[in-house]
Amino acid sequence: MDSFSPSFNRLVGLITRMPGIGARTAERLAWFVLKSPPQYARQLAAELEGLHEKIIFCSRCGLMTEQDPCVICTSARRDQGLICVVENPGDALRIESTKEFRGVYHVLMGAISPLNRIHPEDLRITELLDRIREGGVREIILATNPTVEGDTTAYYIAEQCKDLTVQVSRIARGLPIGSDLEYADSLTLTRALSGREKF
Amino acid sequence: MDSFSPSFNRLVGLITRMPGIGARTAERLAWFVLKSPPQYARQLAAELEGLHEKIIFCSRCGLMTEQDPCVICTSARRDQGLICVVENPGDALRIESTKEFRGVYHVLMGAISPLNRIHPEDLRITELLDRIREGGVREIILATNPTVEGDTTAYYIAEQCKDLTVQVSRIARGLPIGSDLEYADSLTLTRALSGREKF
């Protein structure tokens, strides 16, 4: 249901384009902005306005950064010989938050998905292979999502690395910690069984 | 986990302030904007920038509008003697979407909630009583939410209307259409039983 304000409807329309945001949520968010002090809307507008100018992607790893190369690619405290390959910058942030990974990243900017017309050449796979060929890379961990697209992408990259002197591994899949067998789907369970580790 | 771009983190921070949006969702939305063509971010920025200037609230009913009084308050096709009282403009839109209500609205801009320091004088209750006193109002339907706050507000307004010649009704509460008794909470069920209608 459209409101009687075209401006409000346009804003709701723009917000509705975001993933996972339906018409009602969009309306609720727009209403929140409208109810908040005008300063909030202006701050949001300013950040959005400058977003694409300020944020660049590291030419080496593809992470979001405001300097190129990024702080991780230039850090002497990170293991530059261990590359974690992820689909999106957000995945790298998620891994960073574990504070356990001391290597570097390579963001593919998506996953192979013929249905969505995303082919290997649309991803940053050539850049990854170039990094490996340059030398100094000991291992790559394929941390693409445990989905059909992520698995396909991991398989494709592993194939491409066959003739290169680099160890290729895939992030482990199985039951999430703290979950309950009762609620696990059969695919996860099958995978957790076949991938069992010695005790 | 913060990204390595302060601009991105600031945008995520602003989005996180919205109701029902956690840090992860905020990050996902910001990332969506960044991945979209810059044109999208600019459109959003432009709408947000002008939001508070363009949208006003109808001085009569409180609906969002770009002209005052709003199209509903000035419509000859609406029953100006029947006022539906709601907490927020969005509630009026929801009722409009049924296409069944032919009266007009009065938006309170919230509900009485002492815990959140929202008292009767913070709402548009005086404006409602003034509209009734002006004459021509036959009935008001209290369509505040079926919550403690909404019920309190409805009760308060009904009290204030005691000495006025206006019929006061409350929107019906009971089992939602298409729902299942099995999943109804006991308060709704109690209410649905006590509010039973003759068959």
Side-chain angles (χ1 to χ4, degrees):
Chain A
M1 175 62 206
D2 278 359
S3 81
F4 304 106
S5 159
S7 314
F8 189 81
N9 297 344
R10 279 199 305 274
L11 179 61
V12 170
L14 287 171
I15 299 176
T16 310
R17 287 202 219 156
M18 295 181 181
I21 305 285
R24 283 216 185 181
T25 307
E27 202 183 286
R28 198 162 44 83
L29 298 182
W31 174 233
F32 173 79
V33 176
L34 190 61
K35 270 208 302 190
S36 303
Q39 181 58 16
Y40 177 64
R42 278 198 290 268
Q43 281 179 324
L44 261 178
E47 290 300 342
L48 286 166
E49 184 68 46
L51 196 65
H52 286 81
E53 279 93 71
K54 278 185 220 139
I55 302 182
I56 53 173
F57 294 97
C58 174
S59 57
R60 193 163 170 77
C61 73
L63 279 178
M64 281 183 291
T65 177
E66 293 179 26
Q67 62 173 85
D68 189 21
C70 74
V71 286
I72 293 196
C73 282
T74 52
S75 169
R77 296 172 57 202
R78 311 286 301 217
D79 180 353
Q80 302 285 337
L82 176 64
I83 299 180
C84 180
V85 180
V86 294
E87 293 182 18
N88 296 304
D91 301 334
L93 299 185
R94 211 105 293 139
I95 291 173
E96 274 300 282
S97 71
T98 66
K99 294 188 166 62
E100 290 294 331
F101 182 68
R102 304 312 301 162
V104 295
Y105 295 97
H106 190 88
V107 183
L108 297 171
M109 296 292 171
I112 299 172
S113 172
L115 277 177
N116 295 313
R117 295 175 196 219
I118 303 174
H119 303 291
E121 57 272 24
D122 300 320
L123 305 174
R124 297 182 67 254
I125 295 178
T126 313
E127 286 88 336
L128 173 64
L129 299 175
D130 285 347
R131 279 178 81 176
I132 299 169
R133 281 196 200 96
E134 271 172 28
V137 179
R138 209 169 60 251
E139 178 180 353
I140 63 169
I141 304 173
L142 299 171
T144 51
N145 289 328
T147 57
V148 174
E149 288 84 3
D151 284 340
T152 306
T153 310
Y155 182 78
Y156 179 87
I157 294 174
E159 277 292 303
Q160 301 291 310
C161 292
K162 252 186 183 170
D163 304 326
L164 302 172
T165 53
V166 66
Q167 193 186 315
V168 179
S169 57
R170 179 87 171 98
I171 198 167
R173 282 148 297 169
L175 294 169
I177 309 298
S179 68
D180 198 315
L181 235 77
E182 198 181 333
Y183 302 115
D185 62 287
S186 58
L187 265 175
T188 299
L189 216 44
T190 307
R191 183 74 215 188
L193 285 169
S194 70
R196 64 193 176 275
E197 298 161 42
K198 275 216 174 96
F199 198 59
Chain B
M1 175 62 207
D2 277 358
S3 81
F4 304 106
S5 159
S7 314
F8 190 81
N9 297 343
R10 279 198 306 273
L11 179 61
V12 170
L14 287 171
I15 299 177
T16 311
R17 287 201 218 156
M18 296 183 181
I21 304 286
R24 283 216 184 183
T25 307
E27 201 184 287
R28 199 162 44 82
L29 297 183
W31 174 233
F32 173 79
V33 176
L34 190 62
K35 269 208 302 190
S36 302
Q39 181 58 16
Y40 177 64
R42 278 199 289 269
Q43 280 179 325
L44 262 178
E47 290 301 340
L48 287 165
E49 184 68 46
L51 196 65
H52 286 80
E53 279 93 70
K54 278 186 220 138
I55 302 182
I56 53 173
F57 293 98
C58 175
S59 57
R60 193 163 170 78
C61 73
L63 279 178
M64 282 182 291
T65 177
E66 293 179 25
Q67 63 175 82
D68 189 21
C70 75
V71 285
I72 293 196
C73 283
T74 51
S75 168
R77 296 171 58 202
R78 310 286 301 217
D79 180 353
Q80 302 285 337
L82 176 64
I83 299 179
C84 180
V85 180
V86 292
E87 293 182 19
N88 296 305
D91 302 333
L93 298 186
R94 211 104 296 138
I95 292 174
E96 274 299 283
S97 72
T98 67
K99 295 189 167 62
E100 290 294 329
F101 182 67
R102 303 313 300 163
V104 295
Y105 295 96
H106 190 88
V107 183
L108 296 171
M109 294 293 171
I112 298 172
S113 173
L115 278 177
N116 295 313
R117 294 175 196 219
I118 303 175
H119 302 291
E121 57 272 24
D122 300 320
L123 305 173
R124 297 181 67 252
I125 294 176
T126 314
E127 287 88 335
L128 174 63
L129 299 175
D130 285 347
R131 279 177 80 175
I132 299 170
R133 281 196 200 95
E134 270 173 29
V137 179
R138 210 170 57 252
E139 178 179 354
I140 62 168
I141 304 173
L142 300 171
T144 51
N145 289 328
T147 57
V148 175
E149 288 84 4
D151 284 340
T152 306
T153 310
Y155 182 78
Y156 179 87
I157 294 174
E159 277 293 302
Q160 301 292 309
C161 291
K162 253 186 182 169
D163 303 326
L164 301 172
T165 53
V166 67
Q167 192 186 315
V168 179
S169 57
R170 178 89 172 96
I171 198 168
R173 283 148 296 170
L175 294 168
I177 308 299
S179 67
D180 200 314
L181 235 77
E182 197 179 335
Y183 301 115
D185 61 291
S186 58
L187 265 176
T188 300
L189 217 42
T190 307
R191 183 75 217 189
L193 286 170
S194 71
R196 63 193 177 278
E197 296 161 45
K198 276 217 176 97
F199 198 60

